[in-house]
Amino acid sequence: MQTSYTFTFQAGLIPGYIESIMTAFPMTLYLLGFSLLYGLVIGFVLALMQLRGGRVLAKVAHGYISLMRGIPSLVLIFLLFMGLPQLVPSLAKLPKSTFILVAMTLISSANLGEMMRASYLAVEHGQTEAALSVGMTERQALLRIVLPQAIAIAVPNLGNNIIGIFKETALAFSIGTMDLMGRATTISQSNYGATRLEVYVSVAIIYWAICLLLQLLSGIVERATSRGRALTA
């Protein structure tokens, strides 16, 4: 016995759904912005530990990075959301978005730390030696010669990391945070899934459009830093 399916997709609903889902964009932007900010700070410390911290600190940083890169984001979110309140009951009063922010910061810091370390090492050591030979201090060589080049090298990877973090925010709905994906899920459930496909096509369009915008901005910054690097070469 064959089952027949009727295609009931209603494209006309998509503009309205996009407008409704976008009301949750501030939460997604909050998660992206602060997890990127905190991730950059912690990532910088991790890179410094590996480059200048000695053997023990380098191993600690490497172990942290390996752990965070080895745990799936969704698993880490559940571990923090369900585990931390059991260790410290007062944490159960925190907003759910806080657990998402912590999880995304931990994971992004590992990736960003590796990005910074690799970018620093990509700058030829001979340039530092040349700067020192003309009378610069080690600090001046770092700030004027090494860091500008390292930043230019890091820009493409930073853009990819930002896009990756943005897409990871879609996991926030898994513990009930009202981000873009959470809002889409709520809309879908409100009509008992009757227009579920239209809702998820709408949210897919939103993520795709924002990723295109981030790629465009990343490309502009990359071209600008590349020109600056060529002029100083």
Side-chain angles (χ1 to χ4, degrees), residues 186-214:
T186 300
I187 294 173
S188 175
Q189 292 173 346
S190 67
N191 55 27
Y192 304 100
T195 56
R196 182 179 301 154
L197 179 58
E198 290 87 344
V199 171
Y200 289 119
V201 167
S202 301
V203 77
I205 291 172
I206 292 172
Y207 278 108
W208 174 62
I210 295 175
C211 283
L212 282 180
L213 178 60
L214 291 173

Side-chain angles (χ1 to χ4, degrees), residues 44-54 58 113 116-118 120-121:
F44 177 78
V45 174
L46 291 170
L48 202 61
M49 288 170 65
Q50 293 186 90
L51 294 168
R52 301 292 181 90
M116 294 180 195
R117 184 187 68 85
Y120 176 85
L121 293 176

Side-chain angles (χ1 to χ4, degrees), residues 147-231:
L147 282 184
Q149 294 185 69
I151 291 172
I153 293 170
V155 165
N157 285 329
L158 178 60
N160 290 334
N161 273 285
I162 293 174
I163 292 172
I165 295 171
F166 169 65
K167 291 193 292 185
E168 290 280 283
T169 62
L171 296 174
F173 90 101
S174 62
I175 60 172
T177 300
M178 196 57 65
D179 67 324
L180 291 174
M181 191 66 182
R183 177 61 180 157
T185 302
T186 300
I187 294 173
S188 175
Q189 292 173 346
S190 67
N191 55 27
Y192 304 100
T195 56
R196 182 179 301 154
L197 179 58
E198 290 87 344
V199 171
Y200 289 119
V201 167
S202 301
V203 77
I205 291 172
I206 292 172
Y207 278 108
W208 174 62
I210 295 175
C211 283
L212 282 180
L213 178 60
L214 291 173
Q215 288 175 12
L216 177 62
L217 294 175
S218 176
I220 293 172
V221 175
E222 182 180 351
R223 287 191 292 273
T225 54
S226 296
R227 284 197 298 269
R229 189 180 177 193
L231 290 174

Side-chain angles (χ1 to χ4, degrees), residues 4-222:
S4 61
Y5 295 93
T6 303
F7 188 72
T8 59
F9 183 77
Q10 303 177 63
L13 297 175
I14 290 178
Y17 282 149
I18 289 177
E19 182 179 357
S20 181
I21 293 169
M22 281 298 292
T23 60
F25 182 65
M27 174 56 72
T28 294
L29 189 60
Y30 162 79
L31 294 174
L32 171 62
F34 280 99
S35 60
L36 177 61
L37 175 62
Y38 298 147
L40 284 170
V41 173
I42 298 174
F44 177 78
V45 174
L46 291 170
L48 202 61
M49 288 170 65
Q50 293 186 90
L51 294 168
R52 301 292 181 90
R55 181 177 298 180
V56 175
L57 290 179
K59 286 186 176 181
V60 171
H62 180 74
Y64 170 87
I65 291 172
S66 177
L67 178 64
M68 289 300 106
R69 297 177 82 178
I71 300 177
S73 302
L74 187 60
V75 173
L76 183 60
I77 289 170
F78 285 143
L79 287 175
L80 295 176
F81 180 64
M82 293 185 286
L84 289 183
Q86 293 190 35
L87 297 174
V88 185
S90 61
L91 294 180
K93 299 177 182 179
L94 291 175
K96 294 177 180 178
S97 59
T98 301
F99 296 98
I100 299 294
L101 182 58
V102 172
M104 292 180 58
T105 297
L106 292 175
I107 292 175
S108 65
S109 65
N111 294 325
L112 293 169
E114 275 296 278
M115 176 200 73
M116 294 180 195
R117 184 187 68 85
S119 299
Y120 176 85
L121 293 176
V123 179
E124 294 181 11
H125 183 65
Q127 298 195 42
T128 302
E129 294 178 343
L132 295 176
S133 69
V134 297
M136 285 189 181
T137 64
E138 187 173 344
R139 184 165 182 250
Q140 288 175 327
L142 177 65
L143 295 177
R144 297 182 183 181
I145 305 299
V146 178
L147 282 184
Q149 294 185 69
I151 291 172
I153 293 170
V155 165
N157 285 329
L158 178 60
N160 290 334
N161 273 285
I162 293 174
I163 292 172
I165 295 171
F166 169 65
K167 291 193 292 185
E168 290 280 283
T169 62
L171 296 174
F173 90 101
S174 62
I175 60 172
T177 300
M178 196 57 65
D179 67 324
L180 291 174
M181 191 66 182
R183 177 61 180 157
T185 302
T186 300
I187 294 173
S188 175
Q189 292 173 346
S190 67
N191 55 27
Y192 304 100
T195 56
R196 182 179 301 154
L197 179 58
E198 290 87 344
V199 171
Y200 289 119
V201 167
S202 301
V203 77
I205 291 172
I206 292 172
Y207 278 108
W208 174 62
I210 295 175
C211 283
L212 282 180
L213 178 60
L214 291 173
Q215 288 175 12
L216 177 62
L217 294 175
S218 176
I220 293 172
V221 175
E222 182 180 351

